[in-house]
Amino acid sequence: MDCKKLLSLACALCFIAPVLRAQDNDIVLRPTPGEEIILAVTDIKPASEDYPAELEDAIETFNRVLWDDLSFSGFFRLAGKSFYPPQTGAIQSEVDIPYDAWGALPFRVSFLASGTLSLSDGILRADLHIFDMKQRRRSFGLNIPGVTEQIRAIAHQWADEIVYRLTAGASRGIASTKIAYTLKAGDAEEIFVMDYDGHNAQAFTQNGSTNLFPNWSQDNSKLAFLSMRTGRWEINIYSYLDGMRLPFPIFNTFVNTPAISPDGDRVVFAKRTPQGDTDLYISKLDGSQQRNVTNNPAIDSSPTWSPSGRQIAFASNRGGSASQIYICDEDGANVRRLVKEGGDADSPAWSPDGRWLAFHWKPRLRTYYDLFLAEVSSGRILQLTTESGSNEIPSWAPDGRHLVFQSNRTGTNQIYIMLLDEQAATRRITRSGENRGPAWGGYFRK
C-alpha cells in the first residue's frame, strides 16, 4: 500500500474513533421500566353474535393498528398470540380469564388487553379493558364511540391510553400524533399532515407553489413553513385549528427555516442581511421586535429551540466552507461548536428532554449523510443510521423516544420513523411521490 493510501486510512480511523454506535455504548438514550412489562393483546371481538358484515373490516383494522402502535411504542414486550390459551368468547371481566392457563405459559404476562366492538345505526362503540394478570383484576378501560371511518383513530386513542396508564404517566404515547412534511407532485411542493404511521394524509397547503420546512408550535395550534406562494421566499405562520394565516411581514430578502419557540410567542428564522450573509433573527409571531441573534459574516441557518427556550442550536459554516452544529443562548451569547470532527452537518433538532441534539452529518471521507445524536452536555456523538443513501432532517416525537426523518435509500425521498432503542427499529411511512422535510407534531391540548 502506498503512502497516500496509508495516510488516508489513518485519517479515516482517527475520525471514526470518537463516533459510537447507539447500541455499543454506555449512554442510556431513554429510561427503561424497572420491571419489564409483558403485554398480551387479545383480538377485539364483536359485542354480539349477530353483527353487521361491515364490522368485520373494522375489527381487523383495529386489531392490526393497536398491535402496531403498542409494539412500536418501545415500552412493552408483546406476548406472541400463538402462545395465548384458547378463548371462545370476549374477555369482558375477570371471570372470563382462565388464569391457570395463562399462568402455564413459558413467560409471565403482566397485563392483558381485551375488548369488544359493536356497530349500530352507523355508530361504532369500542368497549376496552386492561387486566392486571398478577392482581387478577381489571385495571382500567375506555368506552370509545365513533364512526367506521374513525376506527384507526379509536385504536390510536386506546394505544396511547395503555401507554399512559401502564407507564404511570411517563409518556402520553405517539399513536395520536401528527407529522407534517412536504410532498412534491408535479411542479408543486405542498405541505401535508399525516398520522404518525403515514395514514390519513391531508393537504395543508394547496397554493400550487413551493412550500418547505414545516415547523409546529409545541401545542400543535400553529404551523410555520417557508413558501414561494407570492413569487418570493416568505415565512408563513398558520393556525392549524382553523387554517387562517397569521400576520407576518414579507421581507424584501431571502428567509429560511422558521422555528416557533416553546412558549409559542416567538419565532426564530434565517434571513439574509444587507451584507449578503445569512443570520438568525428572532421576532414575535407577528414579526415585531425583530433582532439579529448571531450577527456573524458566515451563513447561519436551521435553528432549533431548546425545550426551555433559553438556547438555540443551529448550523453554520463559520468554521470553514462546510456547515457544522453550534449552540448559543437565545440572545446570541455563549456560542460553542458541538460537532468538531469536520465534514458537513445540518438540521439540528433538540430532544424534548433537552439532553440530545439529533442532526444529519456527512463526515469526512463519507459518501452519504447519516443521522447522529450529540449529547449536549458532553459532546459525545452516536451514529443512528448506516443505510445506503442519505438520511436527513430528523425531528423528535414528543415522547423523546422516536425520530422521523427523510431518506433516499430506495431511490426517492421518503419519510421514515425510528424507535431509539437498542435495535433502532425503523418503519417507512410514505410510499409514493417525493416526500421530505418531516416535522413531528407535539401533543394536542386536552
Side-chain angles (χ1 to χ4, degrees), residues 78-104:
L78 300 190
K81 292 184 179 182
S82 61
F83 288 96
Y84 298 0
Q87 182 74 33
T88 56
I91 298 175
Q92 296 178 291
S93 69
E94 294 88 341
V95 299
D96 298 323
I97 302 175
Y99 286 104
D100 291 341
W102 281 96

mmCIF file of all heavy atoms in Angstrom, residues 78-104:
data_model
loop_
_atom_site.group_PDB
_atom_site.id
_atom_site.type_symbol
_atom_site.label_atom_id
_atom_site.label_comp_id
_atom_site.label_asym_id
_atom_site.label_seq_id
_atom_site.Cartn_x
_atom_site.Cartn_y
_atom_site.Cartn_z
ATOM 1 N N LEU A 78 -44.481 -7.471 23.672
ATOM 2 C CA LEU A 78 -45.773 -8.058 23.368
ATOM 3 C C LEU A 78 -45.655 -9.573 23.287
ATOM 4 O O LEU A 78 -44.812 -10.104 22.553
ATOM 5 C CB LEU A 78 -46.322 -7.508 22.047
ATOM 6 C CG LEU A 78 -46.557 -5.995 21.976
ATOM 7 C CD1 LEU A 78 -47.334 -5.653 20.713
ATOM 8 C CD2 LEU A 78 -47.276 -5.480 23.197
ATOM 9 N N ALA A 79 -46.492 -10.249 24.039
ATOM 10 C CA ALA A 79 -46.509 -11.713 24.019
ATOM 11 C C ALA A 79 -47.113 -12.188 22.705
ATOM 12 O O ALA A 79 -48.183 -11.726 22.290
ATOM 13 C CB ALA A 79 -47.328 -12.235 25.199
ATOM 14 N N GLY A 80 -46.416 -13.096 22.010
ATOM 15 C CA GLY A 80 -46.898 -13.612 20.733
ATOM 16 C C GLY A 80 -48.248 -14.282 20.872
ATOM 17 O O GLY A 80 -48.487 -15.065 21.806
ATOM 18 N N LYS A 81 -49.141 -14.009 19.935
ATOM 19 C CA LYS A 81 -50.514 -14.511 20.037
ATOM 20 C C LYS A 81 -50.593 -16.021 19.920
ATOM 21 O O LYS A 81 -51.579 -16.628 20.364
ATOM 22 C CB LYS A 81 -51.382 -13.840 18.976
ATOM 23 C CG LYS A 81 -51.604 -12.348 19.230
ATOM 24 C CD LYS A 81 -52.549 -11.727 18.216
ATOM 25 C CE LYS A 81 -52.758 -10.243 18.512
ATOM 26 N NZ LYS A 81 -53.719 -9.601 17.576
ATOM 27 N N SER A 82 -49.579 -16.639 19.332
ATOM 28 C CA SER A 82 -49.614 -18.099 19.205
ATOM 29 C C SER A 82 -49.521 -18.796 20.566
ATOM 30 O O SER A 82 -49.863 -19.979 20.686
ATOM 31 C CB SER A 82 -48.467 -18.571 18.305
ATOM 32 O OG SER A 82 -47.211 -18.221 18.870
ATOM 33 N N PHE A 83 -49.073 -18.063 21.588
ATOM 34 C CA PHE A 83 -48.965 -18.642 22.930
ATOM 35 C C PHE A 83 -50.261 -18.536 23.723
ATOM 36 O O PHE A 83 -50.401 -19.180 24.758
ATOM 37 C CB PHE A 83 -47.850 -17.941 23.731
ATOM 38 C CG PHE A 83 -46.460 -18.272 23.278
ATOM 39 C CD1 PHE A 83 -45.789 -17.446 22.392
ATOM 40 C CD2 PHE A 83 -45.821 -19.424 23.722
ATOM 41 C CE1 PHE A 83 -44.502 -17.741 21.971
ATOM 42 C CE2 PHE A 83 -44.542 -19.727 23.309
ATOM 43 C CZ PHE A 83 -43.878 -18.887 22.430
ATOM 44 N N TYR A 84 -51.212 -17.716 23.272
ATOM 45 C CA TYR A 84 -52.392 -17.444 24.087
ATOM 46 C C TYR A 84 -53.248 -18.700 24.259
ATOM 47 O O TYR A 84 -53.442 -19.467 23.295
ATOM 48 C CB TYR A 84 -53.255 -16.356 23.461
ATOM 49 C CG TYR A 84 -52.599 -14.997 23.314
ATOM 50 C CD1 TYR A 84 -51.285 -14.765 23.733
ATOM 51 C CD2 TYR A 84 -53.287 -13.937 22.745
ATOM 52 C CE1 TYR A 84 -50.693 -13.532 23.593
ATOM 53 C CE2 TYR A 84 -52.705 -12.677 22.600
ATOM 54 C CZ TYR A 84 -51.399 -12.487 23.012
ATOM 55 O OH TYR A 84 -50.809 -11.260 22.870
ATOM 56 N N PRO A 85 -53.786 -18.927 25.452
ATOM 57 C CA PRO A 85 -54.717 -20.045 25.642
ATOM 58 C C PRO A 85 -55.959 -19.855 24.774
ATOM 59 O O PRO A 85 -56.346 -18.722 24.472
ATOM 60 C CB PRO A 85 -55.071 -19.956 27.131
ATOM 61 C CG PRO A 85 -53.984 -19.149 27.752
ATOM 62 C CD PRO A 85 -53.545 -18.195 26.695
ATOM 63 N N PRO A 86 -56.592 -20.940 24.329
ATOM 64 C CA PRO A 86 -57.811 -20.819 23.523
ATOM 65 C C PRO A 86 -58.881 -20.006 24.271
ATOM 66 O O PRO A 86 -59.084 -20.185 25.474
ATOM 67 C CB PRO A 86 -58.250 -22.269 23.316
ATOM 68 C CG PRO A 86 -57.004 -23.073 23.509
ATOM 69 C CD PRO A 86 -56.204 -22.346 24.547
ATOM 70 N N GLN A 87 -59.552 -19.121 23.539
ATOM 71 C CA GLN A 87 -60.578 -18.264 24.138
ATOM 72 C C GLN A 87 -61.749 -18.206 23.172
ATOM 73 O O GLN A 87 -61.616 -17.715 22.046
ATOM 74 C CB GLN A 87 -60.031 -16.853 24.392
ATOM 75 C CG GLN A 87 -61.014 -15.908 25.062
ATOM 76 C CD GLN A 87 -61.203 -16.234 26.531
ATOM 77 O OE1 GLN A 87 -60.277 -16.689 27.193
ATOM 78 N NE2 GLN A 87 -62.410 -16.014 27.046
ATOM 79 N N THR A 88 -62.878 -18.724 23.582
ATOM 80 C CA THR A 88 -64.027 -18.796 22.681
ATOM 81 C C THR A 88 -64.788 -17.479 22.602
ATOM 82 O O THR A 88 -65.228 -17.070 21.539
ATOM 83 C CB THR A 88 -64.980 -19.921 23.122
ATOM 84 O OG1 THR A 88 -65.362 -19.690 24.493
ATOM 85 C CG2 THR A 88 -64.285 -21.273 23.010
ATOM 86 N N GLY A 89 -64.946 -16.801 23.708
ATOM 87 C CA GLY A 89 -65.727 -15.571 23.728
ATOM 88 C C GLY A 89 -64.882 -14.365 24.086
ATOM 89 O O GLY A 89 -63.667 -14.460 24.263
ATOM 90 N N ALA A 90 -65.528 -13.225 24.169
ATOM 91 C CA ALA A 90 -64.839 -11.980 24.521
ATOM 92 C C ALA A 90 -64.518 -11.962 26.012
ATOM 93 O O ALA A 90 -65.273 -12.492 26.839
ATOM 94 C CB ALA A 90 -65.705 -10.784 24.157
ATOM 95 N N ILE A 91 -63.389 -11.346 26.344
ATOM 96 C CA ILE A 91 -62.995 -11.169 27.743
ATOM 97 C C ILE A 91 -63.506 -9.796 28.184
ATOM 98 O O ILE A 91 -62.999 -8.765 27.760
ATOM 99 C CB ILE A 91 -61.474 -11.261 27.905
ATOM 100 C CG1 ILE A 91 -60.987 -12.647 27.487
ATOM 101 C CG2 ILE A 91 -61.073 -10.958 29.348
ATOM 102 C CD1 ILE A 91 -59.475 -12.788 27.508
ATOM 103 N N GLN A 92 -64.531 -9.799 29.030
ATOM 104 C CA GLN A 92 -65.134 -8.541 29.465
ATOM 105 C C GLN A 92 -65.010 -8.311 30.964
ATOM 106 O O GLN A 92 -65.255 -7.207 31.443
ATOM 107 C CB GLN A 92 -66.605 -8.492 29.045
ATOM 108 C CG GLN A 92 -66.787 -8.488 27.516
ATOM 109 C CD GLN A 92 -68.238 -8.486 27.103
ATOM 110 O OE1 GLN A 92 -68.948 -9.468 27.295
ATOM 111 N NE2 GLN A 92 -68.688 -7.366 26.553
ATOM 112 N N SER A 93 -64.629 -9.348 31.695
ATOM 113 C CA SER A 93 -64.445 -9.200 33.144
ATOM 114 C C SER A 93 -63.446 -10.242 33.616
ATOM 115 O O SER A 93 -63.014 -11.126 32.854
ATOM 116 C CB SER A 93 -65.776 -9.364 33.891
ATOM 117 O OG SER A 93 -66.225 -10.706 33.817
ATOM 118 N N GLU A 94 -63.088 -10.159 34.886
ATOM 119 C CA GLU A 94 -62.097 -11.076 35.449
ATOM 120 C C GLU A 94 -62.520 -12.543 35.334
ATOM 121 O O GLU A 94 -61.678 -13.434 35.159
ATOM 122 C CB GLU A 94 -61.849 -10.745 36.924
ATOM 123 C CG GLU A 94 -61.189 -9.408 37.171
ATOM 124 C CD GLU A 94 -62.184 -8.255 37.301
ATOM 125 O OE1 GLU A 94 -63.337 -8.433 36.854
ATOM 126 O OE2 GLU A 94 -61.798 -7.196 37.835
ATOM 127 N N VAL A 95 -63.819 -12.794 35.397
ATOM 128 C CA VAL A 95 -64.296 -14.182 35.394
ATOM 129 C C VAL A 95 -64.139 -14.831 34.028
ATOM 130 O O VAL A 95 -64.229 -16.065 33.911
ATOM 131 C CB VAL A 95 -65.774 -14.250 35.842
ATOM 132 C CG1 VAL A 95 -65.927 -13.716 37.266
ATOM 133 C CG2 VAL A 95 -66.672 -13.470 34.888
ATOM 134 N N ASP A 96 -63.899 -14.041 32.989
ATOM 135 C CA ASP A 96 -63.731 -14.586 31.637
ATOM 136 C C ASP A 96 -62.301 -15.035 31.358
ATOM 137 O O ASP A 96 -62.029 -15.577 30.279
ATOM 138 C CB ASP A 96 -64.122 -13.541 30.593
ATOM 139 C CG ASP A 96 -65.586 -13.135 30.692
ATOM 140 O OD1 ASP A 96 -66.419 -14.004 30.983
ATOM 141 O OD2 ASP A 96 -65.884 -11.940 30.487
ATOM 142 N N ILE A 97 -61.379 -14.804 32.293
ATOM 143 C CA ILE A 97 -59.964 -15.095 32.054
ATOM 144 C C ILE A 97 -59.577 -16.423 32.708
ATOM 145 O O ILE A 97 -59.718 -16.586 33.924
ATOM 146 C CB ILE A 97 -59.072 -13.968 32.619
ATOM 147 C CG1 ILE A 97 -59.436 -12.629 31.979
ATOM 148 C CG2 ILE A 97 -57.596 -14.292 32.382
ATOM 149 C CD1 ILE A 97 -58.683 -11.449 32.555
ATOM 150 N N PRO A 98 -59.080 -17.387 31.935
ATOM 151 C CA PRO A 98 -58.586 -18.650 32.508
ATOM 152 C C PRO A 98 -57.178 -18.440 33.077
ATOM 153 O O PRO A 98 -56.175 -18.747 32.415
ATOM 154 C CB PRO A 98 -58.603 -19.611 31.320
ATOM 155 C CG PRO A 98 -58.381 -18.733 30.129
ATOM 156 C CD PRO A 98 -59.025 -17.410 30.449
ATOM 157 N N TYR A 99 -57.089 -17.933 34.280
ATOM 158 C CA TYR A 99 -55.797 -17.544 34.842
ATOM 159 C C TYR A 99 -54.812 -18.714 34.924
ATOM 160 O O TYR A 99 -53.601 -18.531 34.720
ATOM 161 C CB TYR A 99 -55.996 -16.929 36.230
ATOM 162 C CG TYR A 99 -56.578 -15.542 36.198
ATOM 163 C CD1 TYR A 99 -57.916 -15.321 36.517
ATOM 164 C CD2 TYR A 99 -55.788 -14.445 35.840
ATOM 165 C CE1 TYR A 99 -58.449 -14.044 36.483
ATOM 166 C CE2 TYR A 99 -56.321 -13.160 35.802
ATOM 167 C CZ TYR A 99 -57.657 -12.968 36.122
ATOM 168 O OH TYR A 99 -58.188 -11.701 36.078
ATOM 169 N N ASP A 100 -55.298 -19.904 35.223
ATOM 170 C CA ASP A 100 -54.391 -21.046 35.325
ATOM 171 C C ASP A 100 -53.740 -21.344 33.982
ATOM 172 O O ASP A 100 -52.540 -21.651 33.907
ATOM 173 C CB ASP A 100 -55.154 -22.274 35.828
ATOM 174 C CG ASP A 100 -55.579 -22.123 37.287
ATOM 175 O OD1 ASP A 100 -54.976 -21.272 37.976
ATOM 176 O OD2 ASP A 100 -56.506 -22.835 37.702
ATOM 177 N N ALA A 101 -54.509 -21.230 32.904
ATOM 178 C CA ALA A 101 -53.953 -21.479 31.571
ATOM 179 C C ALA A 101 -52.929 -20.408 31.208
ATOM 180 O O ALA A 101 -51.875 -20.708 30.631
ATOM 181 C CB ALA A 101 -55.078 -21.518 30.539
ATOM 182 N N TRP A 102 -53.222 -19.165 31.541
ATOM 183 C CA TRP A 102 -52.262 -18.091 31.271
ATOM 184 C C TRP A 102 -51.004 -18.265 32.128
ATOM 185 O O TRP A 102 -49.892 -17.968 31.706
ATOM 186 C CB TRP A 102 -52.894 -16.728 31.547
ATOM 187 C CG TRP A 102 -53.786 -16.266 30.427
ATOM 188 C CD1 TRP A 102 -55.141 -16.410 30.346
ATOM 189 C CD2 TRP A 102 -53.378 -15.595 29.227
ATOM 190 N NE1 TRP A 102 -55.617 -15.876 29.173
ATOM 191 C CE2 TRP A 102 -54.550 -15.363 28.471
ATOM 192 C CE3 TRP A 102 -52.158 -15.176 28.720
ATOM 193 C CZ2 TRP A 102 -54.529 -14.732 27.229
ATOM 194 C CZ3 TRP A 102 -52.133 -14.544 27.488
ATOM 195 C CH2 TRP A 102 -53.299 -14.324 26.744
ATOM 196 N N GLY A 103 -51.176 -18.754 33.361
ATOM 197 C CA GLY A 103 -50.033 -18.960 34.232
ATOM 198 C C GLY A 103 -49.127 -20.079 33.796
ATOM 199 O O GLY A 103 -47.977 -20.161 34.241
ATOM 200 N N ALA A 104 -49.605 -20.958 32.917
ATOM 201 C CA ALA A 104 -48.802 -22.084 32.438
ATOM 202 C C ALA A 104 -47.913 -21.711 31.256
ATOM 203 O O ALA A 104 -47.138 -22.549 30.786
ATOM 204 C CB ALA A 104 -49.733 -23.235 32.044
#
